[in-house]
């Protein structure tokens, strides 16, 4: 649970402040949207809508809510930066990087096997790696 | 543009059918939510809300809208499958895979360099690769 949760009695959470409503002790947003991070809520609200975020929070177990909010905030920020691809753009980049590294590793293993056959297997401790 | 777009005169698009509204010739959803794929719209509506999807579509250039809808549909499906991490879970898995492959490649290059020094550089064509 965020250390900022204890602040809800002093100041409404970022969500309630944004939505101009009273922040009660059972506010589902308060533990994850502290007043000092107004942009975090503004972003998820803009992309998912407060009602959908609230639904997701109620769907997941309390101990998973912080992770859920952080992943929603990450997705929202990515979508605001790149309205066309959002964080799916990052997935494409990473998938290409995995393929590039797999090819590179494959080629390096071929080189190792060439060395091995060049040495007639006398240094078999240096056998090719397979990912 | 999706081939299904031409169908809008016969049947409302999946979005208009879901939202029970008239599907007009200038419907922003129609080209990307054909009536035969009702789940695609239901998913993005459930996660982002029709109004936010419409806002995003109006924000991006017409030639990028299909990519935008497909990435939103991918994100929505991932969030419905995994309400805690959504497609950020896939990003974490891919980031770990990139790190694992980088380490593996690093180790394989160390092996190649050992071979190289064992052979006294006489087969320099087999020099270590660097990613």
């Amino acid at each position: 649970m965020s250390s900022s949760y204890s602040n809800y009695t002093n100041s409404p959470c970022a969500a309630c402040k944004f939505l101009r409503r009273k922040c009660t002790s059972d506010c589902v947003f308060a533990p994850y949207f502290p007043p000092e991070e107004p942009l975090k809520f503004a972003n998820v609200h803009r992309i998912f809508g407060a009602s959908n975020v609230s639904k997701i929070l109620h769907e997941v177990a309390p101990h998973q809510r912080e992770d859920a909010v952080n992943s929603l905030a990450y997705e929202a920020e990515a979508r605001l930066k790149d309205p066309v691809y959002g964080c799916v753009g990052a997935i494409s980049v990473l998938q290409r990087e995995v393929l590039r590294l797999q090819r590179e590793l494959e080629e390096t293993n071929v080189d190792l096997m060439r060395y091995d056959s060049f040495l007639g297997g006398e240094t078999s401790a240096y056998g090719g790696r397979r990912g």
Side-chain angles (χ1 to χ4, degrees), chain A:
Chain A
M1 189 174 287
S2 164
S3 61
S4 315
Y5 186 40
S6 58
N7 287 343
Y8 80 85
T9 48
N10 304 321
S11 173
C13 76
C16 290
K17 203 168 176 183
F18 188 99
L19 302 169
R20 294 169 190 232
R21 62 179 206 181
K22 193 166 155 45
C23 192
T24 57
S25 61
D26 62 347
C27 171
V28 74
F29 296 121
Y32 318 106
F33 294 103
E36 63 272 22
E37 290 181 65
L39 205 60
K40 188 178 178 185
F41 181 78
N43 287 350
V44 299
H45 176 61
R46 205 166 143 198
I47 298 301
F48 299 99
S51 151
N52 286 335
V53 174
S54 165
K55 267 186 226 156
I56 290 171
L57 284 179
H58 281 107
E59 262 174 48
V60 307
H63 73 278
Q64 294 187 300
R65 287 181 185 162
E66 189 152 10
D67 281 353
V69 164
N70 289 338
S71 72
L72 288 167
Y74 182 92
E75 267 186 72
E77 208 183 323
R79 181 64 61 180
L80 288 166
K81 279 186 191 156
D82 179 354
V84 179
Y85 296 102
C87 75
V88 181
I91 291 178
S92 301
V93 168
L94 284 163
Q95 281 172 335
R96 282 197 296 273
E97 181 66 359
V98 164
L99 285 174
R100 192 190 68 75
L101 284 164
Q102 282 171 337
R103 274 197 304 267
E104 180 97 4
L105 190 60
E106 190 80 12
E107 287 168 9
T108 310
N109 276 322
V110 167
D111 285 352
L112 267 182
M113 282 185 282
R114 276 194 200 132
Y115 260 121
D116 221 31
S117 78
F118 180 79
L119 291 170
E122 60 191 272
T123 57
S124 59
Y126 298 124
R129 294 174 188 276
R130 289 278 156 194

